[in-house]
Amino acid sequence: QVQLVESGGGLVQAGGSLTLSCAASGIIFSINVMGWYRQAPGKQRELVATVTSGGSTNHADDVKGRFTISKDNAKDTVNLQMNSLKPEDTAVYYCYVHTRFREYWGQGTQVTVSS
């Protein structure tokens, strides 16, 4: 059974930091990409950051310099270090895993940034 277990969301003041983690288990195919997306109320889900199995990273323009994605290949875990958080970062953050044959999504973890 495939599981993506997310942790680390919560409430933080503007300028603060949070670290999200996602541990994948039960995926029998090789993981090509892991990452994070987010969805704010009334908006479409959008890319935050991704990392390939080879370590190449991609960050959305509005989080560059503030967020950093990293991956532990041995543990199939992906982390998102979020610094200098802004109220507009408030959203549900979803873990994402892409393999050759399909993609998987976590249940989402709420991040709320107060002004």
Side-chain angles (χ1 to χ4, degrees), residues 62-79:
D62 58 353
V63 306
K64 282 181 181 177
R66 301 189 297 122
F67 293 8
T68 303
I69 192 169
S70 61
K71 183 177 182 291
D72 184 336
N73 285 329
K75 298 180 180 179
D76 285 341
T77 299
V78 62
N79 301 309

Side-chain angles (χ1 to χ4, degrees), residues 12-20 38 48 59 62-69 80-87 89 93 111 113:
V12 65
Q13 288 188 333
S17 299
L18 284 173
T19 301
L20 304 182
R38 67 186 180 187
V48 178
H59 295 79
D62 58 353
V63 306
K64 282 181 181 177
R66 301 189 297 122
F67 293 8
T68 303
I69 192 169
L80 185 69
Q81 176 66 44
M82 305 186 294
N83 299 325
S84 302
L85 282 160
K86 304 175 181 179
D89 295 318
Y93 284 69
V111 172
V113 184

Side-chain angles (χ1 to χ4, degrees), residues 41-114:
K43 295 186 177 182
Q44 291 188 329
R45 191 172 297 189
E46 62 179 8
L47 169 73
V48 178
T50 58
V51 57
T52 69
S53 57
S56 297
T57 62
N58 178 45
H59 295 79
D61 287 343
D62 58 353
V63 306
K64 282 181 181 177
R66 301 189 297 122
F67 293 8
T68 303
I69 192 169
S70 61
K71 183 177 182 291
D72 184 336
N73 285 329
K75 298 180 180 179
D76 285 341
T77 299
V78 62
N79 301 309
L80 185 69
Q81 176 66 44
M82 305 186 294
N83 299 325
S84 302
L85 282 160
K86 304 175 181 179
E88 51 263 44
D89 295 318
T90 295
V92 178
Y93 284 69
Y94 295 91
C95 179
Y96 167 80
V97 170
H98 179 272
T99 70
R100 178 180 178 184
F101 296 103
R102 62 163 293 178
E103 57 189 28
Y104 303 89
W105 292 91
Q107 293 296 310
T109 185
Q110 178 70 45
V111 172
T112 302
V113 184
S114 63

